[in-house]
Amino acid sequence: MRATLPHSRLRRDGGTHSVRKAVALTAVAVMSAGLLAGCADDGGGKSSGSSDGKGKTTITLGLFGTMGFKEAGLYSEYEKLHPDIKIAENVIERNENYYPPLLNHLTTNSGLQDVQAVEVGNIAEIVDTQAAKLEDLSKTPGVSKANWVEWKWEQATTKDGQTVGLGTDIGPMAICYRKDLFEQAGLPTDRDEVGKLWAGDWNKLVSVGEQYQKKAPKGTSFMDSPGGLLNAILSSEKDRFYDSSGQVIYKTNPAVKNAFNLTAKAAKEGLVGAQTQFQPTWDQTIANTKFASVACPPWMLGYIKGKSKADAAGKWDVAVAPKSGNWGGSFLSVPKSGKHVKQASELVAWLTAPEQQAKLFSVQGSFPSAPSAYTMPEVTGAKNEMTGEAPIGTVFAEAAKSIPVQTIGPKDQIIQQGLTDNGVILVTKGKSAADAWETATKTIDNNLEK
């Protein structure tokens, strides 16, 4: 998600294979052989799921990034439980490359896998325009609405009550910070004390940034980037870019303009770095310890680890954010045109059950959208190399409980990216907040008209 909604997922090591930004060599090859090849033999609208002639049914999944089901051993576990099922996944590294073909295949009702992942930034468009092509998974045996946080379930549910995707993970927002840099700047380092500094108000966080900057270790900024800060603030707002009727309101919504202006203030004062998230220059600021804090859903810890030098291990901690928000998350859907709709629906129900979500978090860092998983040992006992003994599962679980129910629109990603990558970043280059806002809104409106 650069400074926008996450287009990608991260390997647990956070490493070089960020779904979003990594070079997608293997994945692009898979795209050709996967989604696109999947449409080569679609035979009039059926998916590539098949029987292998030995009594086994192959269920295919079209995914983006590293969703972690395979890495967590979930496919192997399911195949042992169901000896007649074989599972194969086709992965495209970046959602930017995955979603347009998926939308095209859904529109033409061909070339689809038995199971298709959908990123949260795209789920509104899928629900609004493609629901008729997808199974209502609420009717799958074993699926209960109560297993998911309410807003996650609602995001994939049509107005007439069809749930066309089951939630995998969510991205409850916290603030990750460098304890050593905070100490050098005269700030507390205990995570509870840090959280109290900015509790309930993003303005307080910026004020803490001003305190930090007065005694900042040479060459460091309080936060990583303007895009990261703006994204964090907006993620905690109930209404952002669309109203409940589906109208675009981002230019007239005071919450968006206030978030933009507060971030621009931080940028003008030099409290944030001048980089765009998930670009190589931003990666270098992680490696060279150039910032002291970053808006931080669980998967961000993996990214930090992947870009940090070895001596950074254990120097980070996690504090609650001023207000809870969500950054990221995905769904699994089942096209009606598949050859094995029943088996695919059953697999999706199993993969997204609380027990499996907890296992996925313990291996991949994808935080469960199932509240009952928050008390499971895989979550409560979770640790991360970058944050040492910090109880990250507990911190993120607490954040997850108060995430606002947001209105998600079909073009959220375009708007979010325009505000960050084409907007507030310009303040770090010398533009005024007003000029940066004007540039952002022109870019967004042009893209919305396409």
Side-chain angles (χ1 to χ4, degrees), residues 86-156:
K86 182 180 178 181
I87 301 171
E89 65 174 26
N90 294 312
V91 181
I92 295 175
E93 190 78 354
R94 296 169 55 162
N95 190 48
E96 297 96 314
N97 297 326
Y98 168 86
Y99 182 65
L102 171 61
L103 194 59
N104 180 53
H105 294 321
L106 282 168
T107 301
T108 59
N109 208 29
S110 65
L112 294 158
Q113 308 295 301
D114 292 305
V115 177
Q116 296 281 176
V118 180
E119 210 268 339
V120 64
N122 305 121
I123 191 64
E125 185 170 32
I126 293 295
V127 169
D128 287 347
T129 67
Q130 306 297 329
K133 312 287 180 58
L134 300 170
E135 280 290 293
D136 179 0
L137 296 172
S138 68
K139 298 177 180 177
T140 304
V143 171
S144 171
K145 178 180 178 180
N147 280 346
W148 282 267
V149 291
E150 182 178 359
W151 57 268
K152 185 77 172 180
W153 179 271
E154 296 299 332
Q155 284 178 340

Side-chain angles (χ1 to χ4, degrees), residues 97-422:
N97 297 326
Y98 168 86
Y99 182 65
L102 171 61
L103 194 59
N104 180 53
H105 294 321
L106 282 168
T107 301
T108 59
N109 208 29
S110 65
L112 294 158
Q113 308 295 301
D114 292 305
V115 177
Q116 296 281 176
V118 180
E119 210 268 339
V120 64
N122 305 121
I123 191 64
E125 185 170 32
I126 293 295
V127 169
D128 287 347
T129 67
Q130 306 297 329
K133 312 287 180 58
L134 300 170
E135 280 290 293
D136 179 0
L137 296 172
S138 68
K139 298 177 180 177
T140 304
V143 171
S144 171
K145 178 180 178 180
N147 280 346
W148 282 267
V149 291
E150 182 178 359
W151 57 268
K152 185 77 172 180
W153 179 271
E154 296 299 332
Q155 284 178 340
T157 300
T158 64
K159 293 179 180 177
D160 62 357
Q162 299 182 64
T163 301
V164 299
L166 296 183
T168 55
D169 60 317
I170 58 176
M173 187 79 71
I175 302 294
C176 293
Y177 64 98
R178 286 279 302 230
K179 293 178 289 187
D180 54 338
L181 298 185
F182 267 42
E183 183 175 21
Q184 292 175 51
L187 295 175
T189 58
D190 176 79
R191 71 182 69 90
D192 293 331
E193 293 300 315
V194 170
K196 290 178 183 177
L197 293 175
W198 50 59
D201 190 344
W202 289 103
N203 287 283
K204 292 182 180 178
L205 182 134
V206 172
S207 295
V208 173
E210 291 169 341
Q211 295 177 47
Y212 174 89
Q213 221 62 51
K214 290 178 181 175
K215 298 181 180 179
K218 186 177 180 181
T220 68
S221 61
F222 175 60
M223 290 196 81
D224 66 301
S225 67
L229 176 57
L230 179 58
N231 184 52
I233 299 172
L234 291 175
S235 75
S236 67
E237 296 290 343
K238 180 179 182 299
D239 296 312
R240 303 187 306 167
F241 311 142
Y242 290 78
D243 64 17
S244 58
S245 70
Q247 295 298 310
V248 176
I249 60 168
Y250 83 95
K251 284 193 291 189
T252 57
N253 182 357
V256 174
K257 190 64 179 294
N258 291 340
F260 190 93
N261 286 339
L262 180 60
T263 303
K265 176 178 184 288
K268 185 178 180 179
E269 295 178 356
L271 310 183
V272 296
Q275 290 74 36
T276 298
Q277 286 189 318
F278 306 104
Q279 296 289 342
T281 53
W282 183 71
D283 292 346
Q284 285 299 312
T285 64
I286 299 175
N288 296 322
T289 316
K290 293 296 185 182
F291 60 83
S293 63
V294 59
C296 189
W299 50 264
M300 184 65 82
L301 286 172
Y303 197 91
I304 291 172
K305 177 183 174 182
K307 301 302 178 186
S308 295
K309 296 177 180 176
D311 63 359
K315 292 183 177 177
W316 289 85
D317 209 323
V318 185
V320 295
K323 295 181 180 179
S324 292
N326 182 70
W327 186 2
S330 297
F331 302 81
L332 294 179
S333 63
V334 176
K336 290 180 178 178
S337 60
K339 293 179 180 177
H340 309 292
V341 172
K342 177 177 180 294
Q343 295 94 328
S345 299
E346 292 171 351
L347 172 61
V348 168
W350 187 84
L351 287 173
T352 58
E355 295 79 7
Q356 278 62 255
Q357 289 201 38
K359 295 172 188 173
L360 196 60
F361 177 65
S362 69
V363 175
Q364 189 65 19
S366 300
F367 198 78
S369 57
S372 61
Y374 300 166
T375 55
M376 295 179 182
E378 293 91 342
V379 175
T380 58
K383 299 290 190 299
N384 180 277
E385 183 178 334
M386 306 311 295
T387 55
E389 293 302 309
I392 58 171
T394 302
V395 173
F396 288 122
E398 196 60 33
K401 294 176 182 177
S402 50
I403 292 173
V405 180
Q406 290 183 325
T407 300
I408 303 296
K411 304 299 181 185
D412 268 25
Q413 285 189 351
I414 288 176
I415 299 172
Q416 181 106 14
Q417 189 168 351
L419 291 172
T420 55
D421 297 359
N422 302 110

